[in-house]
Amino acid sequence: MIIRKRLAAGACALLAALAGGIAPANAADGPPKDSPKVELVLDVSGSMRAQDVDGGTRTRMAAAQQAFNEVIDAVPEGVRLGIRTLGADYGGDNKELGCRDSKQLYPVGRVDRTEAKTRVATLRPTGWTPIGYALRGADQDLGTDGGTRRIVLITDGEDSCGQPDPCDVARELAAKGTHLTIDTLGLAQDDKTREQLSCIAEATGGTYSTVRHTKELSGRIKQLVRRSETPVETPKPVQGTDSCAKAPELGAGLWTDRETFSEHRWYRVKVKPGQELRTSVSIGADRAVDRDYGVLVRAVSEGGQELVRGAEAGSGRTDVVSSGLRYANGQSGDEDEKGKEPRTVCLEVSSSFSAPANVKRDPGLPVELAVDLADAPDDPSDLAAFGLGRGWVLLGVLALTGLITGLVWGWVSRWRVTVWRAN
């Protein structure tokens, strides 16, 4: 009898040990570290008690909770999801405390659907709306261990704290170069909320939407979570200089920088004989700017000779302006070019943005550069590939065209006069 009890106890201990060894393995089994990360940031301030969703049949909080439950059920296996709240705990009048009322409700990682839903169900509309403070917390929650990073902010109003300003926070986070995208969803339609949420989204390349129905809210969040799975090339941060001699060298790929108003930024690219440099530059107006602006990108030799340029202007109807150029370093079949050293091409990027005095200048406007080095065409059909637009060739073509036009017009005029006299 004693032996049987000991055997049973040993078997139980063995099973417990095996369970203990298996459980951590299962817990650790989840999306890899380079998988996309999304954090949902939910406003739980007192105004979320308003009953104006789904035609006035449901409170904003109830609609958000149902939408979150549906999103949690639909999270793709390859996405790490987290939830953060703002205004969920402190309902008093102390602004200092209310403007720090933000916490992580569920950590970013593999989703335990039951646990996540249970935590969402406990939320009750309570306090302030510290959006700027919550965005900084969400950025820290997402970390920088790889994978795309996305914040989805759901709120029914503008920030009620003022400091830190949510738009400034979004620009600061974008300037860190960790490729963070912030999408915003507004449950209210007033102009101030729309303006602030649009500003936050535009600063990071995200989107802004207004939603008034639970189904619409759930569908939009699901769409944004799924979008995080789409493979994207993350731009590499770079810092241009004020001269070509000190400029950083760029290779093929996407690069991101920041440029203050009317600043000139320089970069360098090595172009081998037989290669064609193709580059485009986009500058985003992530804050209120004056109408009429432009962007210029020039390719210049190390000696200061302009090789080719591209320019584009805008008039306030778009928040991004782009320009580009192409430069071929000889032809791929040119025997004289073979064996020569690569040519250093200096790229100058400048813009003509201006803004009212009350608009902040720092950080600068977001700049994205796309650099590609392709084989130069052997027989270019594009006139720009062999120099049209680089100065003397364009001048020669225009002069020849003018001369031929003048000769033809003169001959026709003389023929008409001769015919008139003969008649």
Side-chain angles (χ1 to χ4, degrees), residues 179 232-238 251-256 280 368-371:
H179 198 58
V232 295
E233 183 176 354
T234 303
K236 291 166 279 191
V238 67
L254 286 177
W255 304 85
T256 181
S280 64
E368 185 170 283
L369 299 93
V371 178

Side-chain angles (χ1 to χ4, degrees), residues 146-171:
T148 57
R149 307 165 72 245
R150 183 180 295 271
I151 295 173
V152 181
L153 171 65
I154 303 97
T155 179
D156 68 339
E158 61 179 327
D159 183 281
S160 60
C161 295
Q163 293 297 328
D165 180 85
C167 284
D168 291 341
V169 170
R171 295 179 190 123

Side-chain angles (χ1 to χ4, degrees), residues 256-313:
T256 181
D257 198 359
R258 288 268 169 172
E259 181 177 287
T260 58
F261 292 101
S262 302
E263 185 181 10
H264 295 251
R265 289 269 190 169
W266 288 86
Y267 313 88
R268 292 189 297 170
V269 180
K270 287 190 181 295
V271 185
K272 297 178 181 179
Q275 281 189 330
E276 181 178 73
L277 168 64
R278 302 172 184 176
T279 185
S280 64
V281 176
S282 300
I283 300 182
D286 62 353
R287 66 207 71 176
V289 297
D290 296 328
R291 292 175 61 88
D292 300 323
Y293 46 75
V295 59
L296 169 69
V297 54
R298 297 196 307 146
V300 182
S301 69
E302 288 186 288
Q305 176 189 4
E306 181 175 299
L307 304 173
V308 66
R309 66 165 56 195
E312 189 58 63

Side-chain angles (χ1 to χ4, degrees), residues 79-142:
V79 174
R80 290 176 284 173
L81 185 77
I83 303 173
R84 172 173 280 270
T85 61
L86 58 98
D89 296 321
Y90 180 75
D93 297 328
N94 189 318
K95 185 175 182 179
E96 184 178 354
L97 293 177
C99 291
R100 293 200 305 270
D101 182 11
S102 176
K103 69 177 183 180
Q104 191 175 40
L105 185 72
Y106 191 86
V108 178
R110 184 181 183 183
V111 179
D112 182 326
R113 289 174 168 78
T114 302
E115 178 65 20
K117 288 181 180 180
T118 301
R119 297 188 187 188
V120 170
T122 63
L123 298 176
R124 298 292 180 270
T126 303
W128 297 63
T129 316
I131 294 177
Y133 184 81
L135 290 178
R136 283 180 176 166
D139 175 61
Q140 295 176 1
D141 296 341
L142 291 172

